[in-house]
Amino acid sequence: MTASTQATRLAPAPSERLRSALELLSSMRFAIALLTVICIASVIGTIVKQHEPVVNYVNQFGPFWSQLFLAIKLNAVYSAWWFLLILAFLVVSTSLCIARNTPRFIADMRSYKENIREQSLQAFHHRGKGLLPDAPADAARRIGKGLAGAGWKVRLQQRSTPKGEGWMVAAKTGGANKIGYIAAHSAIVLVCLGGLLDGDLIVRAQMWFGGKAPYTGGGMIADVADKHRLAANNPTFRGNLLVAEGTQSGTAILSQSDGILLQDLPFSIELKKFVIEHYSTGMPKLFASDIVIHDHQTGEKVPARVEVNHPVSWRGIEIYQSSFDDGGSRVKLAAVPLDGSGKRFEVEGVIGGSTQLKRAGQGSGDQLTLEYTGLRVINVENMADGSSSGADPRKVDLRESITARLGAADRTVTKKELRNVGPSITYKLRDTAGQAREFHNYMLPVDLGEGVPLFLLGMRENPSDAFRYLRVPADAEGTMEGFLRMRAGLADPAQREEAVRRYARKATDPGRPEVAQQLVASASQALALFAGDPAAGGKGAGLAAVSEYLEARVPEAERSRAGEVVVRILGGVLFELAELGRERAGLKPLEPGERTQAFMAQSLLALGDAHLYPAPMAFELKDFEQVQASVFQVTRSPGRNVVYLGCALLIFGIFAMLYVRERRLWVWLGPAPSGSDATMALSSSRKTLETDREFDRLRTQLLGST
């Protein structure tokens, strides 16, 4: 025998390799390995947000890991090719396992195993012997009838023995245990098939073999080419549909990892009215949509109401209330120059739209784009009293004032007092380089317990940041005009000089002009530092500039007292500046009292913070016309009933395997001089204490022994 011949004989034949592959594919360990991988993938799909923009993954995981995650489709686990392939293998593996074992199980369920020998009964754990007074035939009929009455399936067999004719009584019960095994494994197949049917497999098959491609551009839905659209008879899909009040739409959007697909529906949904109710916390309590379904085939118009957890079905498509959004509300904004200078103007726009802004006499490089991003009509906030009331600005600590920078609108509180503070507008200002800041302004002044209502002007640099708010106090007329007049006066050296003179005249004795001159010099220097005048020798503006100036020139031991004096002087001069502005505007002087003190205290803080506001103007919401929109999820799920059937089979199969015990009982009745010699044995699929008790009971009933 040559080496090549020996090697040929040792190599497995192709049929053997195929048989080994089928053996592995249909084995339980292979199915368990696939289930483990699916569980791990499901955990990843739960932890990692799916179908997010690429930039979100880069920000969260970094460039390297984000590219790796995108390469292996961890951003779309449930529609990834490898996940669908694993599901397909699991279906094939479990199906082969069922096909291989079901005939054996069915044959075993049909068999009574009445041909078992008497000697074999002696090897069972549960066995017993007894002597019965009646003949074997009579005893077999009596025992069989008793077992059948107790729910056992019985078969009698007559046998010839050297001692005479004997009878074997073979009984069984609990055959549902085997059915449970088949049902549980069939359930896995059905659930996986349902998942494949309702997943992206059919949609992706149309992209692979039908020439469909995701759409990545913009524009009108009606202008999108057919290669980006799926037909109305598409057997399975899950998409979203946004419909504004008074409009209708019949095209759903299917999000893909690399774009979107448009799904044409056999009907259009018209939104007549969107209804929303809120809890006292401001959270939505109920949102529902009154719609009209326009059938494209019959022209029928069907009114319906869609609520959360109460979908509407039409032509095999389920319509769910997913969420709600703005449907293009119209807003009117007033531009407020925060430095008090410049001409005010109004702009009108639609949420989701934009307006080009250009400073007069400036080039195109100084243009800004105003993007209207959001309108909230209801803002329920916790307004419990957790802050101090307005205070005399002369008692404001300089260090605390400096740390009170632009901050959140709410305060730390120990109790809740929920109140609707009115509408708010969110917008972005984008420069020509594409950089944008987001702003959030409340329409009405909000009472935060500071002794005077405050206009809250919020901003943030990044979408992941929280809004920081500039708190502008409302004047006696309930507007921002008092603050703006003070800001304009602070920027005007002539008005600053006049306010300082008035303050010095009121704060000093007329008989001591040298003291008045010193106070004028000190107040002028402090006010110039506070205003950010470069000639004052400070850096920046606000209380921070004053603090830095004092730290460079006042010993540390005297710094606290000096700061208190400076804040008192600033408060007094700003009061005169406010009075001067009201006088020029033809308004009556401020009335003395706590509200005026609170207004001045908050004005001092707001003027110190205003230079941190990153835009030359704020846009105040003046009027709006709200248009609501509903976001519907439309699904055609042929695999849903398959999954329901699989779940029912899984429940039945698990209960059958866990709680149904398959038992088999044999009683051999041989001839004896005075009746029958009985040998009894019991087998069970599980050994439990209940099996021991059942055998003892049967032995007593059938053999008459304990």
Side-chain angles (χ1 to χ4, degrees):
M1 180 183 299
T2 64
S4 59
T5 304
Q6 185 177 6
T8 302
R9 292 184 177 180
L10 291 177
S15 59
E16 294 179 356
R17 288 196 296 267
L18 179 60
R19 188 162 49 252
S20 299
L22 290 176
E23 186 76 20
L24 174 63
L25 191 59
S26 61
S27 65
M28 184 62 67
R29 64 181 183 274
F30 186 75
I32 292 176
L34 293 176
L35 279 173
T36 303
V37 176
I38 289 176
C39 290
I40 295 174
S42 300
V43 170
I44 295 174
T46 303
I47 296 175
V48 179
K49 291 184 178 181
Q50 303 290 286
H51 300 289
E52 290 284 305
V54 175
V55 65
N56 290 8
Y57 297 106
V58 175
N59 292 336
Q60 184 175 2
F61 301 108
F64 173 77
W65 290 107
S66 61
Q67 292 300 321
L68 178 61
F69 288 173
L70 295 175
I72 59 179
K73 298 296 184 182
L74 292 187
N75 64 320
V77 169
Y78 305 110
S79 59
W81 64 268
W82 53 266
F83 186 83
L84 298 177
L85 184 63
I86 292 173
L87 278 181
F89 266 107
L90 182 60
V91 169
V92 173
S93 175
T94 310
S95 300
L96 289 175
C97 186
I98 295 173
R100 188 178 69 172
N101 292 304
T102 297
R104 179 167 56 87
F105 285 158
I106 294 177
D108 189 66
M109 290 168 56
R110 291 178 176 178
S111 172
Y112 287 84
K113 299 184 179 180
E114 68 274 14
N115 294 321
I116 190 171
R117 298 191 305 168
E118 176 188 0
Q119 292 80 2
S120 300
L121 300 180
Q122 303 297 327
F124 283 82
H125 175 73
H126 296 95
R127 61 184 183 276
K129 296 181 68 67
L131 186 63
L132 301 179
D134 41 0
D138 296 334
R141 296 188 184 94
R142 176 180 59 80
I143 292 174
K145 184 177 180 181
L147 289 173
W152 293 70
K153 295 181 179 180
V154 182
R155 176 171 291 181
L156 305 180
Q157 183 186 61
Q158 183 179 8
R159 296 182 187 176
S160 298
T161 66
K163 298 181 180 180
E165 296 295 329
W167 287 78
M168 174 64 77
V169 180
K172 62 179 181 178
T173 188
N177 179 271
K178 291 284 195 306
I179 299 178
Y181 177 90
I182 299 173
H185 285 71
S186 300
I188 296 176
V189 175
L190 292 176
V191 170
C192 291
L193 284 176
L196 290 172
L197 288 175
D198 289 349
D200 284 352
L201 184 62
I202 295 180
V203 174
R204 288 194 170 274
Q206 296 182 59
M207 289 192 290
W208 293 334
F209 309 111
K212 301 298 182 180
Y215 181 68
T216 56
M220 303 294 292
I221 290 180
D223 298 333
V224 178
D226 289 340
K227 69 175 183 178
H228 307 300
R229 294 177 176 271
L230 302 177
N233 60 358
N234 184 19
T236 175
F237 59 84
R238 182 183 302 271
N240 292 320
L241 186 69
L242 187 144
V243 186
E245 287 179 332
T247 65
Q248 60 179 285
S249 176
T251 304
I253 296 177
L254 279 61
S255 297
Q256 302 294 312
S257 58
D258 49 353
I260 63 170
L261 290 171
L262 299 182
Q263 173 64 60
D264 292 327
L265 303 176
F267 54 84
S268 296
I269 299 176
E270 178 186 1
L271 179 61
K272 303 296 290 185
K273 183 178 179 57
F274 177 77
V275 181
I276 182 170
E277 298 177 4
H278 293 84
Y279 291 104
S280 59
T281 60
M283 295 296 293
K285 178 181 179 181
L286 166 71
F287 47 95
S289 301
D290 294 329
I291 65 172
V292 175
I293 300 175
H294 298 262
D295 193 289
H296 294 169
Q297 182 176 351
T298 64
E300 187 178 2
K301 299 180 180 180
V302 182
R305 185 180 177 92
V306 184
E307 297 182 10
V308 177
N309 298 326
H310 293 84
V312 172
S313 180
W314 188 258
R315 290 194 175 275
I317 298 175
E318 300 289 333
I319 306 171
Y320 295 89
Q321 180 72 61
S322 176
S323 62
F324 59 93
D325 205 340
D326 193 283
S329 299
R330 287 172 284 277
V331 294
K332 180 186 291 185
L333 306 181
V336 181
L338 292 180
D339 58 0
S341 62
K343 185 179 179 180
R344 288 196 176 195
F345 60 92
E346 291 187 349
V347 293
E348 296 185 12
V350 177
I351 299 299
S354 63
T355 299
Q356 294 294 327
L357 306 176
K358 181 180 179 181
R359 293 184 181 179
Q362 301 293 327
S364 60
D366 203 40
Q367 287 185 350
L368 291 175
T369 302
L370 172 63
E371 301 176 358
Y372 312 94
T373 57
L375 171 70
R376 290 190 62 179
V377 177
I378 296 177
N379 289 275
V380 178
E381 304 290 350
N382 187 2
M383 308 304 294
D385 184 14
S387 58
S388 61
S389 61
D392 189 334
R394 293 173 297 178
K395 298 181 180 179
V396 175
D397 182 76
L398 183 60
R399 288 291 182 182
E400 292 182 1
S401 301
I402 293 173
T403 57
R405 313 266 36 103
L406 290 169
D410 59 346
R411 299 293 182 92
T412 302
V413 296
T414 57
K415 60 181 180 179
K416 288 186 176 181
E417 182 187 330
L418 302 174
R419 186 166 75 243
N420 179 19
V421 297
S424 64
I425 182 69
T426 305
Y427 61 89
K428 289 182 179 180
L429 286 176
R430 190 179 302 276
D431 58 23
T432 54
Q435 300 296 321
R437 291 186 177 96
E438 190 173 11
F439 299 84
H440 179 230
N441 299 340
Y442 288 86
M443 183 178 186
L444 304 174
V446 180
D447 185 4
L448 296 179
E450 303 290 354
V452 61
L454 303 172
F455 287 95
L456 300 177
L457 309 179
M459 63 78 55
R460 63 183 178 186
E461 300 286 345
N462 301 305
S464 59
D465 299 337
F467 281 105
R468 297 178 295 137
Y469 289 86
L470 174 65
R471 303 177 178 91
V472 176
D475 58 16
E477 291 73 32
T479 67
M480 285 192 284
E481 294 301 324
F483 170 81
L484 296 176
R485 286 193 296 267
M486 293 174 65
R487 186 80 193 278
L490 196 61
D492 184 1
Q495 291 192 47
R496 292 205 308 263
E497 183 178 352
E498 176 65 22
V500 168
R501 283 200 303 267
R502 290 188 180 189
Y503 171 71
R505 188 167 54 247
K506 294 180 180 179
T508 60
D509 187 352
R512 303 180 64 183
E514 69 280 359
V515 176
Q517 291 179 0
Q518 292 177 358
L519 184 57
V520 167
S522 299
S524 298
Q525 178 69 15
L527 197 60
L529 288 169
F530 188 77
D533 190 342
K539 295 181 180 179
L543 292 172
V546 177
S547 176
E548 185 176 350
Y549 184 85
L550 293 177
E551 287 179 355
R553 290 166 176 80
V554 178
E556 186 176 357
E558 302 177 8
R559 201 172 295 161
S560 176
R561 184 174 179 276
E564 184 178 345
V565 172
V566 170
V567 170
R568 187 185 303 117
I569 292 173
L570 283 175
V573 176
L574 289 177
F575 179 80
E576 296 300 331
L577 198 63
E579 290 287 73
L580 181 60
R582 294 181 66 86
E583 180 182 315
R584 294 187 174 186
L587 300 174
K588 63 181 181 179
L590 291 171
E591 296 183 0
E594 293 184 358
R595 192 189 189 284
T596 298
Q597 289 184 356
F599 173 75
M600 293 308 304
Q602 295 302 318
S603 296
L604 175 64
L605 298 177
L607 289 170
D609 289 344
H611 70 282
L612 299 175
Y613 197 77
M617 65 189 69
F619 287 89
E620 185 181 5
L621 180 62
K622 304 300 291 185
D623 195 10
F624 62 88
E625 181 182 346
Q626 187 184 27
V627 179
Q628 296 276 28
S630 281
V631 180
F632 300 105
Q633 185 181 82
V634 288
T635 65
R636 177 177 279 159
S637 307
R640 181 181 56 184
N641 294 330
V642 177
V643 173
Y644 288 163
L645 176 60
C647 291
L649 287 178
L650 185 62
I651 294 172
F652 168 76
I654 290 176
F655 272 86
M657 288 190 296
L658 294 180
Y659 298 104
V660 176
R661 293 178 295 114
E662 183 187 22
R663 288 101 67 203
R664 291 181 179 271
L665 180 69
W666 295 271
V667 181
W668 167 251
L669 300 168
S674 58
S676 301
D677 188 10
T679 302
M680 174 181 172
L682 175 73
S683 70
S684 176
S685 58
R686 291 192 305 274
K687 293 182 180 180
T688 62
L689 295 177
E690 178 61 28
T691 303
D692 297 338
R693 289 192 290 268
E694 183 180 28
F695 177 74
D696 293 338
R697 183 173 62 254
L698 289 172
R699 183 172 58 183
T700 301
Q701 293 174 354
L702 301 180
L703 304 184
S705 58
T706 59

